[in-house]
Structures are given as structure tokens and as C-alpha cells.
Amino acid sequence: MNAPFPHPEVLDAPVATPGRDVCIATVSLIVPLHNEEEAIAPFLEAVYRNTELLTEQGIAFDFIFVNDGSTDDTLDTLLKAQKDDPRIRIIDLSRNFGKDAAMTAGLDYCDADAAIPIDVDLQDPPQVIPQLIEKWREGYEVVLAKPSGHSLRGTAKRRSALNPVQNLIATRKTSHEVRDFRLMDRQVVDALRSLPERQRHMRGLLTWVGFRTTSFDYDPEFRSAHPSQPRSRNPNTGRTGALTQPLQACTWLGAASAALALVYCGAIAAKTLIFGADIPAYAWLLASVLFIGGVQLVGIGVTGRYLVRMDAEIKQRPVYLLRRIYGS
Ligand code: UDP
Ligand code: MG
């Protein structure tokens, strides 16, 4: 396989000698943060521990922390960490734009040979970084790390519950076991950056871009017990929120009505078949009206949400706004 690894000729040399001061590839860890002051120190410590050997082998890691409108001391904690480690770069956003926008910002400022988006709460274990790099060295441009078994928690779990339904209507399937945690080669990062859409559902975009992809399972025990905070991934603020909430209600109401109609149909059909009861025509009429009305409501809700998205795309607002960048 033709390796995308940056300097294959250097790779062939015996660079794995510890302490040798040669950089064979640069890798950025992209870390979105929203109110995570307490998670930063354990995260950095875990990354240092698990990348020590690779650093000695010539893989130069750096950090792009994206402060996504934190209201606690996340920024100060990051600035303190930056004093000890100049490899830390901090992208401070003007408000909370959501994880996908924060990741987009991180990728926009990544100039390394590869990028690894990683959560700061240690749900994406730094222990598997060496495996990600190893697969990259084998020539894969995207390397996915999945927790083996069903160990998703929090919002990831809630989102994964809807995944089979999403996959039914999607042209490209996304696996519910896969998080954003992955290694992406420079080419993949550039491809993602070239996508013009403002509504960034990163997992969908990452699947869409393709490239030579592989995945491996890791032990879910690696994951920390740090609970997911109850918050929205894409904060709906202002007008968008006010528009999508009634549409969402419309969709759920329609789905409930259609489901109720189906249950009602089943009940009256059973009554006729088992007890031979004579069912009045209005019962079937009622069931049909409920069902068709429900399906239409779902259609209106879904179409409406598409329109809201299109409205956001047409406005061409930036995905995020910067307050300041700390570090070079
Ligand atoms: N995050 C963010 N902006 C947000 C919400 C979350 O940057 O609006 C970050 C958060 O700090 C964490 C990562 O995204 O590093 C994952 O968040 P969380 O643990 O809440 O999500 P889950 O693990 O449930 O996917
Ligand atoms: Mg989490």
C-alpha cells in the first residue's frame, strides 16, 4: 500500500532510537472544550504518558484546544498549561457554538501531517493513540477507534438510539459505535476544510469524505468514568431554536398519531377476526384519518427542518467566531 505517511524515506531509516532529535511526522490533537476546567490536567497527563514513546520515535505532537464559550475557568487553566507546554495552542471562540463547530475551528487551524479529534473527558482514551499512529503508518488515511461492545454513555447513547432510523433514510451509513475519535491524514483534513456547508454534523461529513479507512476495537475499560455533561451538541440559539422546536414537536406529534392509528387498526382488526364483532365504518375512517394525518405531520416537520437548515446555509454565516488565538 502506498503510505500517505509524510516522509517515508526518513521512516526507512532507524529513527526509532530513543532520544534521537528527528521529527518524522507532526500530529495535532484537536480538543474542543466547554466548561472543562477540571478535565484538562488529567487529560494532558494521560496524553503525555501515552505519547512519550512516540515522541522519542520522532512523532511531534501538538495540541489545539478550542475553548467553546466556556463560562468557568477553562481558558485560565489552558493558559496556565500553555506556560508549561508551548506545544499548546488555544483557539478561543466568541461564544458556545457546539462541539461540531469547535472541531471545525480546530481543524481549520491544524497544519500538522495528521489530526486526531479527541474529547477532553477521557471518554476517548489516549491509550489507543499509538495504535492510531501505527495504522496510519501502514498507509490508512482514516483510522477509527471504536469501543468494543456497547459502552456508549450519555448523549452519545441517546444519539445512537436514533442511528438506525437515520441510517434508514441516509444514503451513507454512519456507525453508532464510532465517535469523532479518529486519526485523519492531512489530505482528509484538507478535504473536510473544503466542504462549504455551515451546518457541520462532523460525523456525517467524516463519513462522506471517504478515503482509505480502517478501524479497530479498543477495550472499553480504557474509558474514564467521567460522566457526560447534560448539554446540547449543537446549541440552538435564538431564532433557529425558536423555529426548530415547534417543528420537532410537529414531527413527534405526527409520529405518535400515526402509531396510535396503527394500534387502533390492529385492535379493531383483532376484534373483527376473533370475536366477529361488527365494526362501524367510522372506526376505520377514524383510524385512516389519524394515520394519514400523522404521516403528513411527520412530513411537514421534516421538510420544515430542512428549510430551517437551508435558511441557515443561505445566510452564509461563519460556522464560528474567534475571540483570540493564544500560541503560534
Ligand atoms: N463540547 C464542546 N462544546 C459543546 C459541548 C461539548 O466543545 O457545546 C466538548 C466537551 O468539552 C468535550 C467534548 O465536546 O470535550 C464532548 O462533549 P460531551 O462529553 O458532553 O459529549 P459526549 O461524550 O456525550 O459525546
Ligand atoms: Mg463525553
Side-chain angles (χ1 to χ4, degrees):
M1 194 181 287
N2 185 19
F5 205 73
H7 312 297
E9 69 289 347
V10 189
L11 255 190
D12 292 339
V15 288
T17 321
R20 221 176 119 165
D21 191 18
V22 61
C23 167
I24 55 169
T26 52
V27 177
S28 285
L29 298 177
I30 316 273
V31 198
L33 306 110
H34 178 66
N35 294 345
E36 300 278 10
E37 55 173 320
E38 279 165 20
I40 295 166
F43 168 79
L44 280 171
E45 206 245 312
V47 172
Y48 291 152
R49 205 173 340 111
N50 289 287
T51 54
E52 212 169 25
L53 197 63
L54 288 166
T55 309
E56 282 176 7
Q57 291 174 354
I59 310 277
F61 286 91
D62 62 46
F63 299 85
I64 302 182
F65 284 105
V66 186
N67 180 29
D68 184 23
S70 300
T71 47
D72 64 357
D73 282 337
T74 297
L75 183 61
D76 288 342
T77 315
L78 286 174
L79 287 168
K80 272 186 210 135
Q82 193 184 42
K83 284 204 183 102
D84 297 331
D85 187 349
R87 296 174 303 165
I88 291 178
R89 204 179 334 167
I90 306 162
I91 314 285
D92 190 25
L93 303 187
S94 68
R95 66 164 170 87
N96 177 226
F97 285 91
K99 182 183 174 184
D100 289 320
M103 244 172 78
T104 305
L107 291 172
D108 283 349
Y109 287 90
C110 163
D111 45 21
D113 299 319
I116 304 178
I118 181 167
D119 286 1
V120 75
D121 56 10
L122 296 179
Q123 265 183 292
D124 301 330
Q127 285 95 320
V128 304
I129 292 176
Q131 270 168 286
L132 291 173
I133 303 283
E134 196 185 300
K135 292 276 176 198
W136 180 43
R137 293 175 89 148
E138 282 172 23
Y140 291 101
E141 289 139 342
V142 179
V143 188
L144 309 172
K146 311 188 272 189
S148 52
H150 295 275
S151 60
L152 299 175
R153 295 193 203 108
T155 45
K157 193 168 182 176
R158 285 194 294 280
R159 255 181 263 132
S160 76
L162 283 175
N163 199 274
V165 183
Q166 284 168 3
N167 276 349
L168 262 184
I169 45 175
T171 46
R172 239 157 240 285
K173 316 274 178 252
T174 48
S175 166
H176 65 270
E177 296 147 45
V178 176
R179 296 164 52 84
D180 299 321
F181 187 38
R182 62 192 65 208
L183 181 143
M184 291 181 280
D185 184 68
R186 175 83 247 154
Q187 284 188 64
V188 185
V189 175
D190 288 341
L192 279 173
R193 280 164 57 168
S194 72
L195 300 180
E197 49 257 80
R198 316 277 142 161
Q199 308 272 304
R200 313 284 290 189
H201 176 247
M202 282 314 266
R203 210 163 306 165
L205 296 181
L206 291 167
T207 313
W208 185 86
V209 292
F211 287 92
R212 218 179 278 145
T213 304
T214 187
S215 65
F216 63 87
D217 290 349
Y218 62 81
D219 185 351
E221 288 302 308
F222 282 158
R223 307 180 77 188
S224 93
H226 198 88
S228 289
Q229 296 182 30
R231 58 192 162 201
S232 154
R233 189 177 168 96
N234 295 308
N236 273 332
T237 43
R239 213 174 128 243
T240 316
L243 280 172
T244 53
Q245 277 152 15
L247 289 169
Q248 208 161 1
C250 187
T251 312
W252 286 117
L253 192 72
S257 160
L260 196 73
L262 282 180
V263 172
Y264 187 46
C265 271
I268 54 179
K271 220 171 159 187
T272 316
L273 292 173
I274 300 167
F275 305 109
D278 192 15
I279 306 295
Y282 74 83
W284 291 107
L285 204 67
L286 182 69
S288 319
V289 169
L290 259 181
F291 182 73
I292 295 169
V295 170
Q296 281 175 343
L297 267 182
V298 172
I300 292 171
V302 171
T303 315
R305 293 192 69 170
Y306 270 109
L307 284 175
V308 173
R309 278 168 160 251
M310 278 169 64
D311 179 56
E313 292 292 337
I314 289 165
K315 277 195 214 122
Q316 299 249 315
R317 285 193 187 154
V319 179
Y320 57 86
L321 288 175
L322 280 183
R323 182 180 292 118
R324 201 175 149 181
I325 298 176
Y326 301 86
S328 53

